[in-house]
Amino acid sequence: MSDFQKSFLKAKLASLPPEAPMPLDVQREAELEKEDEVNGLSGLCQEYPDDNSSSASSASSTGTIRPIPRKDLFARPTGTSPWKRSFQMLPWTDYFSQELYLEREIKSYTLTHHVYINPPVGSGPLFVTHHGAGSSGLSFAALTAELRKFLPTAGILSPDARGHGETVVHSKVKAEESKGDDILDFGLETLSNDLLEVIRLMQTKFGWEVLPDLILVGHSLGGAIVTDIASKGHLGDRVLAYAVLDVVEGSAIDALQSMQTYLSSRPSSFRSLESAVEWHFRSRTIKNTLSARASVPSLLVQAPRQTKSPSSLTGQQTWVWRTDLAATQPFWEGWFIGMSKKFLEGKGGKLLLLAGTDRLDKELMIGQMQGTFPDSFSLHDPVSGRAINANHTLGKYQLQVFPDAGHFIHEDLPEKTAISLVDFYKRNDRSALVLPPKVSDMLKKGAGKLAF
């Protein structure tokens, strides 16, 4: 390059405006990524090599990624970044108005149901949720806040399944006399009956002569449970509709092959609840920190102190998983076999929310193509007033896909999930139907006018 050309380019470059500053949100993310590198948290997890779909763990609600063991996983972060994320737990009172314990006597044991509830206001509907295996009722905490924002009269009932959260089974007989079969029963029929009994107990508790309009919402295993209840019609016409979140029979059964590998590779304990919340977020199991801070602490329990353990000598207390998912393995296939057929045959409106269309099995694809047509709706955010639009396809059921979400759709994207559920309810709300007048009434009215 000649000297003339160099001087010309220098003059042109000098005349250009200075480089635009990095957007604030990008700066924040860059600082967080740099902090992760400093603390050895970058590259914490890797996808399962044989499955890039977030429904690979549909048998369990514990995510779709496989953590890489790191000795410094829970090292205290260094640095004083003003944008550092908080992983402190959020109390259930931020989302629900009541927490109840309801006892049932069942043969050789007593079952104490633990539920969270916001009762419906007036004639508002009741959303009855059921979490997946390994989760708890607080999995729907963030979604609850969004539902009440878009539909203030709605009630939300979110119970813990047996062996999850604070729902516990107490044996009435001595340990040596009991085989434990009843207590360890995680069969689909048993779990479905548990949810039915919780609904009936709530009806008695609140003195409802007639149950409110019900919308059943289930995630993963919970989706199989609400589908089973809707298909058998135990609640009659009180069930307006039911929604299934990121679980399909075919992909769920395929995912069972990798479940033991996943369970053996995740951390067995945590030094604190905050470190457990952080692991769920850093590993992308739950992508929303606010939801993780509300739901994750209920998945853990303090480990009993061992008199000769290193932790007891140092005064440290560890937290371990509350639910032994490996113990539920004999029931895994039974949860999902025949689910697609029951989903399509059940009475009431049907909604399937997925993180990707690759989950659809043959039966659901056929059902989706029969009578499929595009549709759209618009809601307005009550805070900002902005319009929020979404697209649906409707065949034998309503399908919504959130490609940006992981397996925990309702935790990753609570606002979008709430919008879909509120619109789904309004589509199936019988009280909103305006029927044409009867011919006989029109004739009587016309005759009266003529006589006048």
Side-chain angles (χ1 to χ4, degrees):
M1 182 181 295
S2 65
D3 293 338
F4 175 77
Q5 289 174 321
K6 290 180 180 179
S7 60
F8 176 77
L9 289 175
K10 287 181 180 180
K12 292 293 290 183
L13 291 173
S15 64
L16 293 176
E19 183 180 356
M22 185 183 298
L24 184 59
D25 57 341
V26 177
Q27 291 183 33
R28 295 182 183 181
E29 193 63 33
E31 288 186 17
L32 286 168
E33 290 179 358
K34 183 177 181 181
E35 183 179 315
D36 287 349
E37 293 177 359
V38 171
N39 293 284
L41 292 174
S42 61
L44 176 65
C45 303
Q46 64 182 10
E47 299 285 342
Y48 279 113
D50 58 343
D51 189 357
N52 59 0
S53 129
S54 68
S55 67
S57 63
S58 293
S60 163
S61 298
T62 50
T64 62
I65 47 186
R66 180 178 178 180
I68 300 175
R70 296 288 296 263
K71 65 179 181 180
D72 57 345
L73 175 61
F74 303 112
R76 182 178 296 277
T78 58
T80 57
S81 169
W83 312 117
K84 179 182 175 183
R85 290 182 176 88
S86 171
F87 297 108
Q88 292 183 346
M89 67 177 294
L90 297 175
W92 66 266
T93 50
D94 287 358
Y95 304 96
F96 296 95
S97 62
Q98 298 183 47
E99 174 190 45
L100 301 173
Y101 294 86
L102 310 169
E103 285 195 356
R104 286 173 56 208
E105 300 292 329
I106 307 173
K107 295 181 181 179
S108 61
Y109 63 93
T110 300
L111 180 59
T112 302
H113 293 283
H114 177 243
V115 303
Y116 302 96
I117 185 171
N118 290 319
V121 178
S123 59
L126 179 64
F127 288 83
V128 179
T129 66
H130 199 294
H131 59 80
S135 293
S136 78
L138 289 177
S139 177
F140 293 92
L143 176 63
T144 292
E146 297 297 332
L147 282 173
R148 295 297 291 269
K149 184 173 74 173
F150 291 110
L151 192 63
T153 61
I156 296 91
L157 171 62
S158 190
D160 294 335
R162 62 169 62 198
H164 295 69
E166 295 185 37
T167 294
V168 294
V169 180
H170 303 282
S171 177
K172 297 179 182 178
V173 298
K174 296 180 180 179
E176 59 270 15
E177 299 176 2
S178 174
K179 297 180 180 180
D181 294 340
D182 292 338
I183 294 179
L184 296 177
D185 184 4
F186 289 96
L188 180 61
E189 184 177 356
T190 299
L191 296 175
S192 297
N193 187 63
D194 285 349
L195 183 57
L196 285 171
E197 289 301 322
V198 165
I199 295 173
R200 290 164 181 156
L201 288 170
M202 298 307 297
Q203 182 177 9
T204 302
K205 175 74 176 179
F206 288 95
W208 297 326
E209 293 185 8
V210 179
L211 282 171
D213 290 336
L214 303 177
I215 299 91
L216 308 181
V217 182
H219 170 246
S220 197
L221 165 61
I225 292 171
V226 301
T227 296
D228 185 62
I229 291 175
S231 66
K232 293 178 179 177
H234 291 307
L235 295 171
D237 61 358
R238 301 319 303 160
V239 177
L240 285 184
Y242 53 100
V244 172
L245 310 184
D246 204 49
V247 59
V248 169
E249 177 184 344
S251 59
I253 293 177
D254 291 341
L256 296 179
Q257 300 175 5
S258 60
M259 275 305 303
Q260 285 294 355
T261 302
Y262 170 76
L263 294 179
S264 63
S265 63
R266 68 176 183 170
S268 59
S269 64
F270 300 90
R271 295 179 183 176
S272 66
L273 292 177
E274 288 78 9
S275 63
V277 174
E278 182 175 6
W279 178 82
H280 280 79
F281 176 73
R282 300 294 189 191
S283 65
R284 311 299 286 171
T285 301
I286 299 175
K287 300 179 181 181
N288 184 330
T289 53
L290 286 177
S291 184
R293 291 165 62 190
S295 65
V296 170
S298 63
L299 311 183
L300 303 155
V301 64
Q302 280 190 325
R305 292 183 181 273
Q306 303 295 328
T307 56
K308 296 183 180 181
S309 66
S311 61
S312 63
L313 297 177
T314 60
Q316 294 180 350
Q317 181 68 59
T318 59
W319 295 80
V320 296
W321 300 106
R322 185 185 296 269
T323 304
D324 183 5
L325 283 176
T328 66
Q329 183 177 5
F331 305 96
W332 290 352
E333 285 195 3
W335 292 342
F336 304 110
I337 291 178
M339 179 183 172
S340 293
K341 182 178 181 181
K342 289 190 290 185
F343 176 76
L344 294 172
E345 293 179 350
K347 293 183 179 180
K350 306 168 185 64
L351 171 64
L352 181 60
L353 264 63
L354 298 176
T357 54
D358 58 312
R359 283 90 166 149
L360 292 177
D361 55 27
K362 180 179 179 181
E363 199 159 3
L364 290 179
M365 290 181 68
I366 294 174
Q368 184 60 29
M369 290 187 292
Q370 293 176 341
T372 302
F373 60 92
D375 188 44
S376 63
F377 72 94
S378 177
L379 289 177
H380 289 82
D381 188 321
V383 178
S384 65
R386 63 186 176 87
I388 306 173
N389 299 306
N391 294 318
H392 294 263
T393 55
L394 302 177
K396 283 188 174 181
Y397 60 93
Q398 183 174 331
L399 173 65
Q400 179 76 44
V401 180
F402 294 150
D404 295 333
H407 181 51
F408 288 80
I409 291 180
H410 56 300
E411 296 204 52
D412 292 347
L413 301 174
E415 182 186 51
K416 288 186 177 181
T417 304
I419 291 171
S420 294
L421 289 175
V422 170
D423 173 71
F424 179 56
Y425 159 69
K426 291 181 177 180
R427 290 176 182 275
N428 293 278
D429 181 15
R430 289 188 290 260
S431 65
L433 295 176
V434 180
L435 300 177
K438 295 182 179 179
V439 175
S440 58
D441 293 339
M442 294 177 65
L443 291 175
K444 289 180 181 179
K445 186 176 181 180
K449 288 184 178 180
L450 290 174
F452 179 79

